[in-house]
Amino acid sequence: MFECVVGIDRFDGITSAVEESKLGEFADEAEAVEVARAHRAAYEPVGESEYAWWLVRRSGDMMARWIADSRSDREFVLDIRTGQLVEA
């Protein structure tokens, strides 16, 4: 199983609050990435200080299989344990 997650960081000028939610669990990785890409394409930030990111990983894993954010059109693989990004 693969999970698709979205995180939204809202900065109000003083503090930052991150809301993370699961968009779903999928038997197929490609389907999870497709859902993440569609959610990303439809995303509209509320104000300039809002930042969002999406990731796909095996359920329970620390290694993301796919990651992207709202400020770039690039996609990455991220090792959550080390914080290293590898461009996809």
Side-chain angles (χ1 to χ4, degrees), residues 3 5 8 12-13 22 24 31 33 39 47 49 52 64 67-69 71 77-78 87-88:
E3 60 185 13
V5 177
I8 299 177
D12 66 8
K22 190 182 294 187
E31 182 182 4
V33 170
H39 194 271
S49 62
I67 188 166
D69 67 58
R71 295 183 180 161
V77 174
L78 170 69
E87 193 160 357

Side-chain angles (χ1 to χ4, degrees), residues 12-26:
D12 66 8
I14 299 171
T15 61
S16 180
V18 177
E19 295 175 22
E20 186 175 309
S21 59
K22 190 182 294 187
L23 297 177
E25 288 200 35
F26 307 89

Side-chain angles (χ1 to χ4, degrees), residues 2 27-35 37 56:
F2 294 88
D28 183 69
E29 179 182 13
E31 182 182 4
V33 170
E34 184 178 312
V35 167
R37 285 178 174 151
V56 171

